[in-house]
Amino acid sequence: VYQKFSTNQMVGVLRLLKTIVGREPKRSGYGIRDTWNQTRDLLPFENGILRLSDRVLLSHAPEFMFNWTLPYQYEPAATCPVIKMVIENISGKDLSTQQTLLAFLAAVMLGMPDVQKYLEIIGKPGTGKSTFLKIAKDLVGDVNTVTTSMRQLHENRFETANFYGKRLAIIPDADQWGGSVEVLKNI
């Protein structure tokens, strides 16, 4: 049910947020700008906040103000030989393609808002396209991923709201879409 709120009610909500959360949202024009932690040097895991510059795992604390987390624990000694093997197979052992795929995964994981990231995967059935998408989705977790279709993007004016705060957007089988791609280009 849609409900209108007065200015006084909105000011009250802002004061409540300031009191409870211990921070004041930043005003930007007529709206409020997101001030949750977007620091590129910090990466939230279930067991702490990894400072990337020196690989130190910090304890979770309110001052970090993350509104998302990766869905697994940071393990400094962990390796991923199966993932490496899958990426080698997908790339046909082409080093340049492997580096591109790994760079894309890193950019998705780190967010990197200053870098526009778009990866179109094409190929014959059974070449690893869906497997790579599953790796990307597992890397950031279901809660940090949105899956949609070109039809939904084109026909549902609220569909792009689902992208807010997500690390990864997946649009499977986009080649079957014959309509406009303006919404995709705007994203």
Side-chain angles (χ1 to χ4, degrees):
V1 175
Y2 176 74
Q3 183 178 0
K4 290 186 178 184
F5 293 96
S6 70
T7 303
N8 288 338
Q9 288 171 312
M10 293 302 292
V11 169
V13 169
L14 290 175
R15 285 188 184 142
L16 183 64
L17 279 173
K18 183 178 179 181
T19 303
I20 292 174
V21 180
R23 71 181 187 97
E24 185 173 353
K26 303 287 185 227
R27 296 177 188 267
S28 175
Y30 293 104
I32 296 171
R33 185 169 44 93
D34 185 358
T35 57
W36 292 101
N37 195 326
Q38 301 297 322
T39 305
R40 284 180 55 187
D41 190 45
L42 300 175
L43 198 56
F45 287 87
E46 287 179 342
N47 60 336
I49 308 292
L50 179 65
R51 189 170 50 216
L52 298 170
S53 58
D54 57 7
R55 304 269 195 221
V56 170
L57 190 66
L58 309 167
S59 296
H60 284 286
E63 60 266 15
F64 288 123
M65 298 186 329
F66 276 100
N67 61 353
W68 71 283
T69 186
L70 293 169
Y72 44 86
Q73 302 213 0
Y74 173 67
E75 297 178 27
T79 60
C80 46
V82 173
I83 302 297
K84 289 174 94 175
M85 183 184 70
V86 169
I87 290 179
E88 280 181 10
N89 289 339
I90 290 171
S91 68
K93 299 194 190 282
D94 178 62
L95 187 59
S96 177
T97 303
Q98 290 174 39
Q99 289 174 336
T100 300
L101 295 174
L102 291 172
F104 178 79
L105 291 175
V108 167
M109 186 176 184
L110 298 173
M112 302 180 72
D114 54 331
V115 176
Q116 293 183 5
K117 303 163 289 294
Y118 171 82
L119 181 66
E120 185 170 356
I121 305 173
I122 56 174
K124 295 178 182 176
T127 56
K129 299 179 302 293
S130 295
T131 303
F132 182 77
L133 290 178
K134 178 152 180 34
I135 290 170
K137 189 173 182 178
D138 288 347
L139 180 67
V140 295
D142 288 338
V143 72
N144 298 314
T145 302
V146 63
T147 301
T148 189
S149 67
M150 291 298 291
R151 180 169 304 286
Q152 278 294 98
L153 283 174
H154 183 70
E155 294 176 0
N156 181 350
R157 66 185 176 144
F158 300 109
E159 184 67 12
T160 55
N162 294 326
F163 286 51
Y164 177 76
K166 303 298 185 194
R167 292 282 178 181
L168 176 66
I170 297 174
I171 306 171
D173 299 324
D175 62 332
Q176 296 175 3
W177 175 250
S180 173
V181 294
E182 286 305 310
V183 176
L184 177 65
K185 287 166 57 176
N186 287 332
I187 293 170

